[in-house]
Amino acid sequence: MASQKIQGIFTPHLVPLDKSGEINEPELRRYIDWLIAQGAHGLYPNGSTGEFTRFTPQERRRIVRIVCEQAAGRVQVLAGAAEANVRETLDACAAYAEFGARAVAIVSPYYYQLSPESVYAYFREIAIHSPIDVTLYNIPMFASPIDVPTIRRLVEFPRIVGIKDSSGDLAFMMRMIAAVRPVRPDFCFLTGWEAVLVPALMVGADGGTHATAGVVPEITRKMFDLTRAGQLDEAMRLQFRLLELFDAMLYSADFPDGFRAAVELRGFDLGVSRQPLSESQQTDRAALKKVLQRILTGLGC
Amino acid sequence: MASQKIQGIFTPHLVPLDKSGEINEPELRRYIDWLIAQGAHGLYPNGSTGEFTRFTPQERRRIVRIVCEQAAGRVQVLAGAAEANVRETLDACAAYAEFGARAVAIVSPYYYQLSPESVYAYFREIAIHSPIDVTLYNIPMFASPIDVPTIRRLVEFPRIVGIKDSSGDLAFMMRMIAAVRPVRPDFCFLTGWEAVLVPALMVGADGGTHATAGVVPEITRKMFDLTRAGQLDEAMRLQFRLLELFDAMLYSADFPDGFRAAVELRGFDLGVSRQPLSESQQTDRAALKKVLQRILTGLGC
Amino acid sequence: MASQKIQGIFTPHLVPLDKSGEINEPELRRYIDWLIAQGAHGLYPNGSTGEFTRFTPQERRRIVRIVCEQAAGRVQVLAGAAEANVRETLDACAAYAEFGARAVAIVSPYYYQLSPESVYAYFREIAIHSPIDVTLYNIPMFASPIDVPTIRRLVEFPRIVGIKDSSGDLAFMMRMIAAVRPVRPDFCFLTGWEAVLVPALMVGADGGTHATAGVVPEITRKMFDLTRAGQLDEAMRLQFRLLELFDAMLYSADFPDGFRAAVELRGFDLGVSRQPLSESQQTDRAALKKVLQRILTGLGC
Amino acid sequence: MASQKIQGIFTPHLVPLDKSGEINEPELRRYIDWLIAQGAHGLYPNGSTGEFTRFTPQERRRIVRIVCEQAAGRVQVLAGAAEANVRETLDACAAYAEFGARAVAIVSPYYYQLSPESVYAYFREIAIHSPIDVTLYNIPMFASPIDVPTIRRLVEFPRIVGIKDSSGDLAFMMRMIAAVRPVRPDFCFLTGWEAVLVPALMVGADGGTHATAGVVPEITRKMFDLTRAGQLDEAMRLQFRLLELFDAMLYSADFPDGFRAAVELRGFDLGVSRQPLSESQQTDRAALKKVLQRILTGLGC
């Protein structure tokens, strides 16, 4: 399976917590089973939706272990492996390879805003030493941007097999594809911006990793299947409805709390966020859940 | 014709200048004829490509008059009518109505970065008094942004019949369409970002206004026709080639000088820009023309 | 007077309009007299505060003519001369020289975001041909930024005698001074950000051009005099009070309408803005005037 | 000492690494001794300069322990305590209290861009439970901004005793002081932007935490002392020279590598950064060191 091109919809799912704020392992396993049953092509622990920065290094490993175990080969796992530095990241890569992940996803360095040259040097070091395939993760709103010339340089390393782009910029997706596909036809392009999932597939993306796929996995799967089958009108009809849901989740609360509220409406107990909510935020959240319930009902979910 | 929905590819063309820096009327007329012959659905004088800010109010009127005369009803004219203030803008609207323009396009107030409430108040005043249909022009990189709630409020004025959006954000295009089409099915959405022309048409846009349409009008027209005919693969093949041309013109020189260089390669004498070029810029421009010639040749132009 | 270094507080004043929206010349003259009487070192027609973009070219000339006439040599006039292009700007320069202005101020090209090379080429052309001294005007929130290397190149033209910087970045002010003063000790640095007027003078600026100087000219003059006299504690005490006024005017309405409201409280009839206000904005404005009146009373104005 | 107001220049120093990339404890202790001998008022381990994000949680604790031990009460320690979430951060606070730190500094949540309400909720939780005084750390270029209204709300918690602001915006410093000092005269304001250290002290800041203080501690100390003594001319003369050094270190390499290069020139072996450098970056670094040596020599260092 390792040499197969990565494609389809991967779910960067939230992690349920119990009353004491610890990882709620049974609920996480139940959630994983449900995501697979609803049609997720793959799972993506330790993504931005999964609040990877709010867990400790030990917890991040435990999450990937649980997810790989529970997936049990039914779907592929793309494991977020960004740690404090290259050495720690490579240790995580080794662990995730052993757990059975298909590949790791590594976000560009964040906090410091690095130049393209530093972004290149960072991923180069990882590409040379990683024991597992690596996908780049470009999310310029949160981390140092990975630009097209840097991507072009990095695809010379066979270990780098794909990129997830959460910029939402469709022209950027096309620029990457134009620069890379001629030299690396196996390279995988995933959009991380579900607001444009169908258009992104239409211009050549291989799939997506979407927070929304953790809420309505049956819908994102259907959008993928319809687009691949050439039924663009129906795919776009769903795209417009998904956009309404996405906007409500994204712009009504600090990310990813709107998505947490929606997953709760699908029947999962996610517990209380590790990022505290103020009283007014808790009130807003109750109102948001009513809006989300209406949209989910409209989607037949 | 006035009540027909605006659609297709409009060309926000450059204005040829003569040796003394004055409008070169014969060359402008020759250029207009060529654009129409090559398949432009419409013309768009006084757009950003047309460097409207670098002409005097009198010159802007003369340009629209020449374009309307030369079009002579063969294609529609969408005339940029933004002037120093509401009163001056309304005077231009009256003049352009008389010249026979189909509608005016009015960019959101620029220089000052205005709030949505001020943007609303500005267009409301124009909408009430304009003797000609108005299209809004959203170009957030240059002018105060027009957000979706403001657009939703403005479409209650029948005089406002469309919007040109140059943000390049496809999700924004979908949000506008979702908010407006149910209440104003006649409202026209034009993308001003040719990098995503085919995807924009695919998600529901009615056409585009593209600087690139002044360079390769036959290609942008073909992209429109192919998309409308459902031949998306071929449309996307052209979209990728257009993107290469667009990027070369946009990112190799200050806008719109890369486009000026390309139009010259199509056989028009545009004269020297009113924005002076430094010596190093003149050298860069010569190198750029070689790149552009190669791309144009590849496109069969 | 022409060869004297420009220094002190210049007032980029608003222009009173009459009931029909025309320039209210008697009220403008009365306002100018009051500004001079209150201690303004100079006047600055056609600045951002003066809404230069909302007047026609003819009106801009008339404003400078009135101001020069009324100043009648009592204070210096720094006249905003930015027009649609280099040629029009040079024509304005010639006119303002004849009216008796001390120098012109020319904002960096706006609408298009130009590269440093283009900014250089633009001012170079003006510097070579202008019949009157030129001050650069850097206001990166509204216009193409003028960076330190570009300033360093431009000060080689003797016609360029100063810069007004409205970035509010004190380190930038120091960088300019460090780069320019050794080669052009006569070059004048004016801050356009009154929130840091006293600190700017303290690090070496020669004065300021402040919208707030059109509201409380006696206070900005006093801040200048106290700082020059080394009475920094008292100067800073006023600086803090001015900051409260400035923030209230700047952040409670779209610029410059908060300043217009405050000037009205000082007893001038400015008429209705050429930028329309919505109903909710008119309500907000009434509330703002109460806040401003309280602050002005506290300042003893 | 705990109830004394924090003031003076704190050094957010780099951490020397040995050949295998581990913390070089002897060199760190030698560096601390030198910083104290050169006049640092305090030390600031785990700051942005200290690359706190590139160490593991265990390493961050070890660094604070070493620094507290080595300082041995000679100077105060302000320990960076931001961890993955509130609970982990509070654990670090407890540890640093035990090590003898004067207070902790906690950066606003990063990666996710949080709203003011979330920033408030986060610090509120910490303020209620921390066993040690807390200083807020505002660095909007890297982390969620802490705005003035949020600061005003947070100063109601006695555990919050100060703020370090690295925005470089002097007006923001004044706004904070105006909002907080009347209600919390003991509250401490530190600027993190040495480009404006003297002006910041002049407008009321109590000190600074400066990467540059790890390079030329004798100079930043002298600037502080001169300003406090009212010798502003001499303080500003040094400020201009420091600015040249600061700009060279900050803008010639990705932060904090320019500072690392300069500390090496002062005689410390910092080892190889955990953020890999490309070949071209290594070449650039060698050139930068020559520039820095010239500036340091000019400063008499």
PDB file of all heavy atoms in Angstrom, chain A residues 48 51 54 85 111-112 115 117-118 142 254 275 278 281, chain D residues 48 51 54 85 111-112 115 117-118 142 254 278 281:
ATOM      1  N   SER A  48      -4.604  20.455  12.420  1.00  0.00           N
ATOM      2  CA  SER A  48      -5.016  21.695  13.087  1.00  0.00           C
ATOM      3  C   SER A  48      -6.360  21.501  13.769  1.00  0.00           C
ATOM      4  O   SER A  48      -6.590  21.986  14.876  1.00  0.00           O
ATOM      5  CB  SER A  48      -5.120  22.829  12.068  1.00  0.00           C
ATOM      6  OG  SER A  48      -3.862  23.082  11.501  1.00  0.00           O
ATOM      7  N   GLU A  51      -6.188  19.925  17.049  1.00  0.00           N
ATOM      8  CA  GLU A  51      -5.571  20.754  18.097  1.00  0.00           C
ATOM      9  C   GLU A  51      -4.221  20.200  18.548  1.00  0.00           C
ATOM     10  O   GLU A  51      -3.931  20.176  19.751  1.00  0.00           O
ATOM     11  CB  GLU A  51      -6.523  20.876  19.297  1.00  0.00           C
ATOM     12  CG  GLU A  51      -7.846  21.544  18.946  1.00  0.00           C
ATOM     13  CD  GLU A  51      -8.798  21.630  20.136  1.00  0.00           C
ATOM     14  OE1 GLU A  51      -9.293  20.571  20.534  1.00  0.00           O
ATOM     15  OE2 GLU A  51      -9.030  22.735  20.633  1.00  0.00           O
ATOM     16  N   ARG A  54      -2.166  21.672  21.324  1.00  0.00           N
ATOM     17  CA  ARG A  54      -2.686  21.715  22.706  1.00  0.00           C
ATOM     18  C   ARG A  54      -2.467  20.407  23.456  1.00  0.00           C
ATOM     19  O   ARG A  54      -2.926  20.262  24.586  1.00  0.00           O
ATOM     20  CB  ARG A  54      -4.164  22.106  22.679  1.00  0.00           C
ATOM     21  CG  ARG A  54      -4.332  23.545  22.222  1.00  0.00           C
ATOM     22  CD  ARG A  54      -5.763  23.971  22.016  1.00  0.00           C
ATOM     23  NE  ARG A  54      -5.804  25.366  21.587  1.00  0.00           N
ATOM     24  CZ  ARG A  54      -6.817  25.924  20.941  1.00  0.00           C
ATOM     25  NH1 ARG A  54      -7.877  25.201  20.644  1.00  0.00           N
ATOM     26  NH2 ARG A  54      -6.775  27.196  20.580  1.00  0.00           N
ATOM     27  N   ASN A  85      11.379  20.224  16.984  1.00  0.00           N
ATOM     28  CA  ASN A  85      12.520  20.439  16.098  1.00  0.00           C
ATOM     29  C   ASN A  85      12.691  19.215  15.215  1.00  0.00           C
ATOM     30  O   ASN A  85      11.922  18.244  15.326  1.00  0.00           O
ATOM     31  CB  ASN A  85      13.784  20.723  16.925  1.00  0.00           C
ATOM     32  CG  ASN A  85      14.026  19.658  17.973  1.00  0.00           C
ATOM     33  OD1 ASN A  85      14.131  18.467  17.641  1.00  0.00           O
ATOM     34  ND2 ASN A  85      14.089  20.044  19.244  1.00  0.00           N
ATOM     35  N   TYR A 111       5.130  29.842  14.576  1.00  0.00           N
ATOM     36  CA  TYR A 111       5.552  30.853  15.549  1.00  0.00           C
ATOM     37  C   TYR A 111       6.520  31.800  14.835  1.00  0.00           C
ATOM     38  O   TYR A 111       6.099  32.869  14.442  1.00  0.00           O
ATOM     39  CB  TYR A 111       6.174  30.254  16.817  1.00  0.00           C
ATOM     40  CG  TYR A 111       6.394  31.319  17.877  1.00  0.00           C
ATOM     41  CD1 TYR A 111       5.314  31.874  18.544  1.00  0.00           C
ATOM     42  CD2 TYR A 111       7.663  31.775  18.183  1.00  0.00           C
ATOM     43  CE1 TYR A 111       5.504  32.868  19.499  1.00  0.00           C
ATOM     44  CE2 TYR A 111       7.857  32.777  19.128  1.00  0.00           C
ATOM     45  CZ  TYR A 111       6.779  33.318  19.781  1.00  0.00           C
ATOM     46  OH  TYR A 111       6.961  34.308  20.707  1.00  0.00           O
ATOM     47  N   TYR A 112       7.768  31.418  14.661  1.00  0.00           N
ATOM     48  CA  TYR A 112       8.668  32.226  13.845  1.00  0.00           C
ATOM     49  C   TYR A 112       8.157  32.202  12.398  1.00  0.00           C
ATOM     50  O   TYR A 112       7.719  31.170  11.908  1.00  0.00           O
ATOM     51  CB  TYR A 112      10.087  31.656  13.876  1.00  0.00           C
ATOM     52  CG  TYR A 112      10.625  31.546  15.277  1.00  0.00           C
ATOM     53  CD1 TYR A 112      10.655  30.327  15.934  1.00  0.00           C
ATOM     54  CD2 TYR A 112      11.073  32.675  15.958  1.00  0.00           C
ATOM     55  CE1 TYR A 112      11.120  30.228  17.235  1.00  0.00           C
ATOM     56  CE2 TYR A 112      11.548  32.581  17.260  1.00  0.00           C
ATOM     57  CZ  TYR A 112      11.572  31.351  17.901  1.00  0.00           C
ATOM     58  OH  TYR A 112      12.022  31.256  19.189  1.00  0.00           O
ATOM     59  N   SER A 115      11.709  32.327   6.290  1.00  0.00           N
ATOM     60  CA  SER A 115      11.873  32.597   4.869  1.00  0.00           C
ATOM     61  C   SER A 115      11.756  31.288   4.088  1.00  0.00           C
ATOM     62  O   SER A 115      11.916  30.202   4.642  1.00  0.00           O
ATOM     63  CB  SER A 115      13.254  33.194   4.625  1.00  0.00           C
ATOM     64  OG  SER A 115      14.238  32.237   4.999  1.00  0.00           O
ATOM     65  N   GLU A 117      13.856  29.976   2.217  1.00  0.00           N
ATOM     66  CA  GLU A 117      15.110  29.220   2.323  1.00  0.00           C
ATOM     67  C   GLU A 117      15.131  28.363   3.592  1.00  0.00           C
ATOM     68  O   GLU A 117      15.568  27.209   3.567  1.00  0.00           O
ATOM     69  CB  GLU A 117      16.290  30.203   2.317  1.00  0.00           C
ATOM     70  CG  GLU A 117      17.623  29.589   2.003  1.00  0.00           C
ATOM     71  CD  GLU A 117      17.740  29.033   0.582  1.00  0.00           C
ATOM     72  OE1 GLU A 117      16.981  29.471  -0.317  1.00  0.00           O
ATOM     73  OE2 GLU A 117      18.579  28.134   0.377  1.00  0.00           O
ATOM     74  N   SER A 118      14.644  28.901   4.693  1.00  0.00           N
ATOM     75  CA  SER A 118      14.595  28.138   5.939  1.00  0.00           C
ATOM     76  C   SER A 118      13.550  27.032   5.869  1.00  0.00           C
ATOM     77  O   SER A 118      13.760  25.930   6.402  1.00  0.00           O
ATOM     78  CB  SER A 118      14.277  29.055   7.123  1.00  0.00           C
ATOM     79  OG  SER A 118      15.377  29.881   7.428  1.00  0.00           O
ATOM     80  N   PHE A 142      -1.613  30.253   9.595  1.00  0.00           N
ATOM     81  CA  PHE A 142      -1.091  29.848  10.907  1.00  0.00           C
ATOM     82  C   PHE A 142       0.423  29.640  10.921  1.00  0.00           C
ATOM     83  O   PHE A 142       1.044  29.691  11.985  1.00  0.00           O
ATOM     84  CB  PHE A 142      -1.741  28.532  11.361  1.00  0.00           C
ATOM     85  CG  PHE A 142      -3.200  28.608  11.697  1.00  0.00           C
ATOM     86  CD1 PHE A 142      -4.003  27.457  11.684  1.00  0.00           C
ATOM     87  CD2 PHE A 142      -3.805  29.806  12.045  1.00  0.00           C
ATOM     88  CE1 PHE A 142      -5.355  27.508  12.014  1.00  0.00           C
ATOM     89  CE2 PHE A 142      -5.161  29.869  12.365  1.00  0.00           C
ATOM     90  CZ  PHE A 142      -5.941  28.715  12.348  1.00  0.00           C
ATOM     91  N   ASP A 254     -13.931  30.706  17.669  1.00  0.00           N
ATOM     92  CA  ASP A 254     -12.507  30.510  17.355  1.00  0.00           C
ATOM     93  C   ASP A 254     -12.281  29.061  16.940  1.00  0.00           C
ATOM     94  O   ASP A 254     -12.733  28.123  17.617  1.00  0.00           O
ATOM     95  CB  ASP A 254     -11.646  30.839  18.587  1.00  0.00           C
ATOM     96  CG  ASP A 254     -11.352  32.337  18.691  1.00  0.00           C
ATOM     97  OD1 ASP A 254     -11.832  33.091  17.822  1.00  0.00           O
ATOM     98  OD2 ASP A 254     -10.638  32.740  19.616  1.00  0.00           O
ATOM     99  N   GLN A 275      -8.735  24.874  25.402  1.00  0.00           N
ATOM    100  CA  GLN A 275      -8.687  26.338  25.327  1.00  0.00           C
ATOM    101  C   GLN A 275      -9.930  26.834  26.050  1.00  0.00           C
ATOM    102  O   GLN A 275     -11.037  26.601  25.571  1.00  0.00           O
ATOM    103  CB  GLN A 275      -8.658  26.803  23.870  1.00  0.00           C
ATOM    104  CG  GLN A 275      -9.030  28.268  23.631  1.00  0.00           C
ATOM    105  CD  GLN A 275      -8.129  29.277  24.340  1.00  0.00           C
ATOM    106  OE1 GLN A 275      -6.922  29.103  24.436  1.00  0.00           O
ATOM    107  NE2 GLN A 275      -8.721  30.329  24.895  1.00  0.00           N
ATOM    108  N   SER A 278     -14.790  31.851  27.566  1.00  0.00           N
ATOM    109  CA  SER A 278     -15.345  32.834  28.500  1.00  0.00           C
ATOM    110  C   SER A 278     -16.851  32.599  28.602  1.00  0.00           C
ATOM    111  O   SER A 278     -17.432  31.843  27.825  1.00  0.00           O
ATOM    112  CB  SER A 278     -15.069  34.245  27.996  1.00  0.00           C
ATOM    113  OG  SER A 278     -15.896  34.533  26.882  1.00  0.00           O
ATOM    114  N   GLN A 281     -18.620  33.490  25.463  1.00  0.00           N
ATOM    115  CA  GLN A 281     -18.391  32.496  24.411  1.00  0.00           C
ATOM    116  C   GLN A 281     -19.273  31.268  24.610  1.00  0.00           C
ATOM    117  O   GLN A 281     -19.728  30.662  23.640  1.00  0.00           O
ATOM    118  CB  GLN A 281     -16.912  32.086  24.383  1.00  0.00           C
ATOM    119  CG  GLN A 281     -16.000  33.147  23.781  1.00  0.00           C
ATOM    120  CD  GLN A 281     -14.538  32.757  23.825  1.00  0.00           C
ATOM    121  OE1 GLN A 281     -14.049  32.245  24.832  1.00  0.00           O
ATOM    122  NE2 GLN A 281     -13.826  32.995  22.741  1.00  0.00           N
TER     123      GLN A 281
ATOM    124  N   SER D  48      11.349  34.357  22.981  1.00  0.00           N
ATOM    125  CA  SER D  48      11.420  34.088  21.536  1.00  0.00           C
ATOM    126  C   SER D  48      12.877  33.989  21.100  1.00  0.00           C
ATOM    127  O   SER D  48      13.226  33.138  20.276  1.00  0.00           O
ATOM    128  CB  SER D  48      10.738  35.213  20.757  1.00  0.00           C
ATOM    129  OG  SER D  48       9.376  35.285  21.106  1.00  0.00           O
ATOM    130  N   GLU D  51      14.389  30.703  21.631  1.00  0.00           N
ATOM    131  CA  GLU D  51      13.856  29.626  20.784  1.00  0.00           C
ATOM    132  C   GLU D  51      13.059  28.599  21.579  1.00  0.00           C
ATOM    133  O   GLU D  51      13.196  27.388  21.362  1.00  0.00           O
ATOM    134  CB  GLU D  51      15.008  28.940  20.038  1.00  0.00           C
ATOM    135  CG  GLU D  51      15.777  29.890  19.116  1.00  0.00           C
ATOM    136  CD  GLU D  51      16.926  29.207  18.394  1.00  0.00           C
ATOM    137  OE1 GLU D  51      17.911  28.891  19.074  1.00  0.00           O
ATOM    138  OE2 GLU D  51      16.829  28.987  17.175  1.00  0.00           O
ATOM    139  N   ARG D  54      11.561  25.473  20.101  1.00  0.00           N
ATOM    140  CA  ARG D  54      12.426  24.445  19.512  1.00  0.00           C
ATOM    141  C   ARG D  54      13.002  23.488  20.555  1.00  0.00           C
ATOM    142  O   ARG D  54      13.812  22.629  20.213  1.00  0.00           O
ATOM    143  CB  ARG D  54      13.542  25.116  18.709  1.00  0.00           C
ATOM    144  CG  ARG D  54      12.978  25.793  17.457  1.00  0.00           C
ATOM    145  CD  ARG D  54      13.974  26.637  16.707  1.00  0.00           C
ATOM    146  NE  ARG D  54      13.307  27.256  15.550  1.00  0.00           N
ATOM    147  CZ  ARG D  54      13.756  28.313  14.904  1.00  0.00           C
ATOM    148  NH1 ARG D  54      14.862  28.903  15.288  1.00  0.00           N
ATOM    149  NH2 ARG D  54      13.080  28.808  13.879  1.00  0.00           N
ATOM    150  N   ASN D  85      -0.892  23.785  26.926  1.00  0.00           N
ATOM    151  CA  ASN D  85      -2.237  24.166  27.343  1.00  0.00           C
ATOM    152  C   ASN D  85      -2.172  24.724  28.759  1.00  0.00           C
ATOM    153  O   ASN D  85      -1.098  24.778  29.358  1.00  0.00           O
ATOM    154  CB  ASN D  85      -3.191  22.971  27.246  1.00  0.00           C
ATOM    155  CG  ASN D  85      -2.654  21.760  28.002  1.00  0.00           C
ATOM    156  OD1 ASN D  85      -2.362  21.848  29.204  1.00  0.00           O
ATOM    157  ND2 ASN D  85      -2.482  20.640  27.315  1.00  0.00           N
ATOM    158  N   TYR D 111      -0.081  29.893  16.909  1.00  0.00           N
ATOM    159  CA  TYR D 111      -0.558  28.984  15.862  1.00  0.00           C
ATOM    160  C   TYR D 111      -1.995  29.385  15.524  1.00  0.00           C
ATOM    161  O   TYR D 111      -2.199  30.079  14.548  1.00  0.00           O
ATOM    162  CB  TYR D 111      -0.434  27.512  16.236  1.00  0.00           C
ATOM    163  CG  TYR D 111      -0.711  26.599  15.046  1.00  0.00           C
ATOM    164  CD1 TYR D 111       0.189  26.511  14.004  1.00  0.00           C
ATOM    165  CD2 TYR D 111      -1.889  25.885  14.967  1.00  0.00           C
ATOM    166  CE1 TYR D 111      -0.074  25.708  12.897  1.00  0.00           C
ATOM    167  CE2 TYR D 111      -2.161  25.085  13.870  1.00  0.00           C
ATOM    168  CZ  TYR D 111      -1.252  25.000  12.843  1.00  0.00           C
ATOM    169  OH  TYR D 111      -1.522  24.218  11.754  1.00  0.00           O
ATOM    170  N   TYR D 112      -2.968  28.990  16.310  1.00  0.00           N
ATOM    171  CA  TYR D 112      -4.323  29.498  16.094  1.00  0.00           C
ATOM    172  C   TYR D 112      -4.322  31.007  16.365  1.00  0.00           C
ATOM    173  O   TYR D 112      -3.687  31.462  17.305  1.00  0.00           O
ATOM    174  CB  TYR D 112      -5.305  28.815  17.048  1.00  0.00           C
ATOM    175  CG  TYR D 112      -5.287  27.316  16.911  1.00  0.00           C
ATOM    176  CD1 TYR D 112      -4.615  26.525  17.833  1.00  0.00           C
ATOM    177  CD2 TYR D 112      -5.907  26.685  15.841  1.00  0.00           C
ATOM    178  CE1 TYR D 112      -4.578  25.142  17.697  1.00  0.00           C
ATOM    179  CE2 TYR D 112      -5.868  25.302  15.702  1.00  0.00           C
ATOM    180  CZ  TYR D 112      -5.202  24.530  16.632  1.00  0.00           C
ATOM    181  OH  TYR D 112      -5.158  23.177  16.488  1.00  0.00           O
ATOM    182  N   SER D 115      -9.373  35.115  19.124  1.00  0.00           N
ATOM    183  CA  SER D 115     -10.073  36.376  19.345  1.00  0.00           C
ATOM    184  C   SER D 115      -9.696  36.937  20.716  1.00  0.00           C
ATOM    185  O   SER D 115      -9.223  36.207  21.590  1.00  0.00           O
ATOM    186  CB  SER D 115     -11.577  36.120  19.300  1.00  0.00           C
ATOM    187  OG  SER D 115     -11.929  35.266  20.381  1.00  0.00           O
ATOM    188  N   GLU D 117     -11.567  37.605  23.102  1.00  0.00           N
ATOM    189  CA  GLU D 117     -12.318  36.902  24.151  1.00  0.00           C
ATOM    190  C   GLU D 117     -11.585  35.618  24.565  1.00  0.00           C
ATOM    191  O   GLU D 117     -11.512  35.288  25.753  1.00  0.00           O
ATOM    192  CB  GLU D 117     -13.728  36.583  23.629  1.00  0.00           C
ATOM    193  CG  GLU D 117     -14.720  36.253  24.693  1.00  0.00           C
ATOM    194  CD  GLU D 117     -15.046  37.409  25.646  1.00  0.00           C
ATOM    195  OE1 GLU D 117     -14.830  38.581  25.275  1.00  0.00           O
ATOM    196  OE2 GLU D 117     -15.506  37.121  26.767  1.00  0.00           O
ATOM    197  N   SER D 118     -11.037  34.893  23.608  1.00  0.00           N
ATOM    198  CA  SER D 118     -10.294  33.665  23.935  1.00  0.00           C
ATOM    199  C   SER D 118      -8.976  33.988  24.636  1.00  0.00           C
ATOM    200  O   SER D 118      -8.552  33.257  25.533  1.00  0.00           O
ATOM    201  CB  SER D 118     -10.007  32.860  22.660  1.00  0.00           C
ATOM    202  OG  SER D 118     -11.179  32.257  22.167  1.00  0.00           O
ATOM    203  N   PHE D 142       3.983  37.155  15.863  1.00  0.00           N
ATOM    204  CA  PHE D 142       4.096  35.701  16.015  1.00  0.00           C
ATOM    205  C   PHE D 142       2.882  35.046  16.681  1.00  0.00           C
ATOM    206  O   PHE D 142       2.650  33.846  16.509  1.00  0.00           O
ATOM    207  CB  PHE D 142       5.330  35.350  16.866  1.00  0.00           C
ATOM    208  CG  PHE D 142       6.660  35.633  16.239  1.00  0.00           C
ATOM    209  CD1 PHE D 142       7.807  35.771  17.026  1.00  0.00           C
ATOM    210  CD2 PHE D 142       6.818  35.739  14.863  1.00  0.00           C
ATOM    211  CE1 PHE D 142       9.053  36.016  16.464  1.00  0.00           C
ATOM    212  CE2 PHE D 142       8.064  35.989  14.291  1.00  0.00           C
ATOM    213  CZ  PHE D 142       9.184  36.132  15.095  1.00  0.00           C
ATOM    214  N   ASP D 254      16.927  34.790   9.275  1.00  0.00           N
ATOM    215  CA  ASP D 254      15.688  34.483   9.992  1.00  0.00           C
ATOM    216  C   ASP D 254      15.940  34.564  11.494  1.00  0.00           C
ATOM    217  O   ASP D 254      16.924  34.017  12.007  1.00  0.00           O
ATOM    218  CB  ASP D 254      15.210  33.071   9.605  1.00  0.00           C
ATOM    219  CG  ASP D 254      14.386  33.090   8.319  1.00  0.00           C
ATOM    220  OD1 ASP D 254      14.244  34.170   7.716  1.00  0.00           O
ATOM    221  OD2 ASP D 254      13.890  32.020   7.921  1.00  0.00           O
ATOM    222  N   SER D 278      20.309  26.361   5.129  1.00  0.00           N
ATOM    223  CA  SER D 278      20.696  25.880   3.796  1.00  0.00           C
ATOM    224  C   SER D 278      22.116  26.356   3.511  1.00  0.00           C
ATOM    225  O   SER D 278      22.676  27.185   4.230  1.00  0.00           O
ATOM    226  CB  SER D 278      19.733  26.430   2.746  1.00  0.00           C
ATOM    227  OG  SER D 278      19.996  27.801   2.532  1.00  0.00           O
ATOM    228  N   GLN D 281      22.300  30.047   3.027  1.00  0.00           N
ATOM    229  CA  GLN D 281      22.164  30.758   4.305  1.00  0.00           C
ATOM    230  C   GLN D 281      23.473  30.756   5.088  1.00  0.00           C
ATOM    231  O   GLN D 281      23.800  31.722   5.764  1.00  0.00           O
ATOM    232  CB  GLN D 281      21.056  30.131   5.152  1.00  0.00           C
ATOM    233  CG  GLN D 281      19.657  30.478   4.653  1.00  0.00           C
ATOM    234  CD  GLN D 281      18.569  29.798   5.462  1.00  0.00           C
ATOM    235  OE1 GLN D 281      18.667  28.616   5.780  1.00  0.00           O
ATOM    236  NE2 GLN D 281      17.524  30.535   5.776  1.00  0.00           N
TER     237      GLN D 281
END
